[in-house]
Amino acid sequence: APILCIVGARPNFMKIARLMPALAAGDDGLPVKLLHTGQHYDAAMKASFFEQLRIPEPDIDLGVGSGTHAEQTAQIMLKLEPVLDQMQPRALLVVGDVNSTIACALVAVKKGIPVIHVEAGLRSNDRAMPEEINRVLTDQISDLLFTTERSAEENLAREGVDRKRVHFVGNVMIDTLRHLLPEAATLEKITQHFSEPPPFSLQEKGYALVTLHRPSNVDDPAVLERLLTTLRTASQRIPLIFPAHPRTRGRIDAAGLSHLLENAPIWVLPPIGYLEMLGLMSRAKLVMSDSGGIQEETTALGIPCLTLRENTERPITISEGANQLVGSDPQKILTALDDTLTSGGKAGRIPEGWDGAASQRIAAVLKSWARGEEV
Ligand code: UD1
């Protein structure tokens, strides 16, 4: 019986890309199947990632799409159940912390199908964050938990998760980054790719890359306006490139705030592909973002990152990496920006296990687990 791997949202795709081939490789390779819930469905949020990351077409697509959290989670659960009944997978493997992760894990565990969680144990300790709820619950019902940093083991121990289930393996997303970095898009190629040219001369280390999509930053029009105004001021210190998530684009338009990004050295783009993102990230002077994954990717690349949040579930990017928490206060953001521009910013070092081989380590554990060995 196969191991059923689940993806649903953009940040899942780069986590599964190297893991699936690692599981399937070798004489002792495990049968794997891929299911996409359909949580992210736009070409810019899905298709371009499958292509660039060379992820095979999913065996099953639940086609769920957007909705409230309850709608989205419930739809995924309802549609997954008959699939599991028919397939009877050996185990279900979920990554990260999106709604697709908890929805699928919950259906599987009730059917007695073992749940494997990759990127377990991260905690922001902020329960207003939907992802935090997904993390805590998924970890509680997982049989095998793979962690990216040591802090995760302590978090899981504190929540009573049996240590024997937990394996520190490093970061599968960084496997993908190392694998595809040589193919990262050049600035020239990126410029040609979009009809709207940058409103400034695009040069290596001559811009800051910005992303924004956390509900806490974009859903409240007053908070969003304050952040966009701050970005506009920041663009006078260094030009900005801002690929806008559909959720953010929607909120900006609905709140009538798009003028804050116009007639300034800010290049607003639609969501971009993985190789374009790698190209822009690795050549940026710095990154400003509220993303989870980008905190890790910038640390792996040694590019200074100012995280526009009050907390992080990835503390190693602060203690060892190139990341800095600055929150959403305009003065704090601009001060941190000025410091970074004058000092060159935090360089940091690469955390343990972020070496490109995390997928191999997971595959080794799962292969011996599948043979019935003690892991
Ligand atoms: C989800 C994840 C978040 C992750 C982010 C990365 C949860 C709870 N959140 O947030 O952790 O960082 O993905 O992208 O799972 N939309 C489109 N096209 C799409 C997908 C979404 O236009 O292909 C729009 C819809 O208007 C939708 C909104 O974006 O309502 C939000 O999408 P949703 O999947 O609910 O959450 P994200 O904000 O993308």
Side-chain angles (χ1 to χ4, degrees):
I3 294 189
L4 181 60
C5 299
I6 306 291
V7 291
R10 185 170 61 179
N12 295 157
F13 305 143
M14 38 295 243
K15 292 169 193 165
I16 213 79
R18 301 303 299 154
L19 186 53
M20 283 208 10
L23 295 177
D27 294 339
D28 58 350
L30 301 167
V32 285
K33 286 205 186 293
L34 181 64
L35 181 144
H36 178 43
T37 63
Q39 179 175 347
H40 283 173
Y41 46 87
D42 279 1
M45 298 297 282
K46 187 221 157 195
S48 85
F49 288 86
F50 272 64
E51 199 183 300
Q52 294 187 343
L53 300 170
R54 296 181 205 113
I55 302 173
E57 266 310 299
D59 299 284
I60 298 136
D61 191 334
L62 300 182
V64 162
S66 301
T68 66
H69 283 265
E71 282 165 356
Q72 196 173 57
T73 310
Q75 283 292 334
I76 295 169
M77 292 180 69
L78 282 173
K79 291 193 170 178
L80 177 66
E81 179 156 56
V83 173
L84 296 187
D85 287 341
Q86 213 219 337
M87 186 188 294
Q88 301 285 337
R90 172 85 190 243
L92 183 108
L93 184 150
V94 291
V95 298
D97 55 17
V98 302
N99 286 344
S100 298
T101 307
I102 178 62
C104 294
L106 190 50
V107 178
V109 71
K110 296 267 184 94
K111 290 188 175 294
I113 298 167
V115 175
I116 302 160
H117 186 204
V118 174
E119 197 191 89
L122 297 179
R123 296 291 181 269
S124 65
N125 297 310
D126 173 5
R127 295 230 170 161
M129 195 180 177
E131 293 80 5
E132 182 75 353
I133 307 296
N134 295 342
R135 292 179 197 117
V136 169
L137 297 179
T138 303
D139 287 337
Q140 281 296 327
I141 57 175
S142 292
D143 295 88
L144 277 171
L145 301 90
F146 293 104
T147 60
T148 52
E149 59 172 277
R150 298 285 181 187
S151 72
E153 295 173 288
E154 293 154 33
N155 295 333
L156 292 169
R158 202 176 323 113
E159 292 170 16
V161 176
D162 185 351
R163 273 185 191 279
K164 285 198 287 238
R165 297 178 177 211
V166 182
H167 298 261
F168 170 71
V169 289
N171 197 323
V172 291
M173 193 179 64
I174 305 305
D175 293 0
T176 301
L177 181 144
R178 298 208 182 289
H179 188 70
L180 289 177
L181 192 55
E183 294 175 46
T186 60
L187 295 183
E188 201 189 352
K189 214 171 155 199
I190 292 166
T191 312
Q192 289 162 0
H193 195 272
F194 296 98
S195 49
E196 198 70 35
F200 52 87
S201 139
L202 183 56
Q203 274 160 18
E204 181 152 358
K205 303 291 164 194
Y207 62 90
L209 179 67
V210 177
T211 82
L212 218 53
H213 75 281
R214 290 258 94 77
S216 58
N217 278 337
V218 305
D219 284 3
D220 176 344
V223 174
L224 182 59
E225 178 170 16
R226 201 180 65 205
L227 269 170
L228 295 181
T229 305
T230 309
L231 290 177
R232 190 177 181 85
T233 309
S235 75
Q236 300 306 317
R237 327 280 225 261
I238 183 166
L240 305 182
I241 302 182
F242 181 16
H245 186 287
R247 164 191 211 97
T248 310
R249 181 79 261 174
R251 300 292 176 170
I252 292 172
D253 293 343
L257 296 173
S258 52
H259 64 277
L260 290 171
L261 301 171
E262 287 158 11
N263 302 313
I266 306 176
W267 194 25
V268 183
L269 296 173
I272 59 178
Y274 183 73
L275 296 176
E276 288 74 32
M277 194 64 189
L278 267 192
L280 285 179
M281 217 175 348
S282 59
R283 294 181 183 87
K285 179 88 177 166
L286 74 149
V287 175
M288 292 187 270
S289 173
D290 60 7
S291 153
I294 287 174
Q295 297 175 60
E296 299 186 334
E297 290 167 336
T298 46
T299 276
L301 293 166
I303 303 290
C305 180
L306 307 183
T307 291
L308 308 178
R309 291 173 43 187
E310 308 298 336
N311 51 53
T312 179
E313 60 288 331
R314 294 163 160 92
I316 201 158
T317 61
I318 311 263
S319 58
E320 294 189 17
N323 188 24
Q324 206 181 321
L325 273 186
V326 300
S328 65
D329 174 67
Q331 211 41 58
K332 277 198 190 151
I333 296 172
L334 294 172
T335 305
L337 174 64
D338 286 337
D339 287 350
T340 304
L341 290 176
T342 35
S343 73
K346 210 175 156 200
R349 60 172 187 270
I350 312 263
E352 180 188 5
W354 295 25
D355 57 354
S359 299
Q360 309 295 335
R361 289 187 283 270
I362 292 176
V365 173
L366 289 183
K367 284 174 184 180
S368 62
W369 174 80
R371 286 193 295 268
E373 295 165 13
E374 180 101 15
V375 295

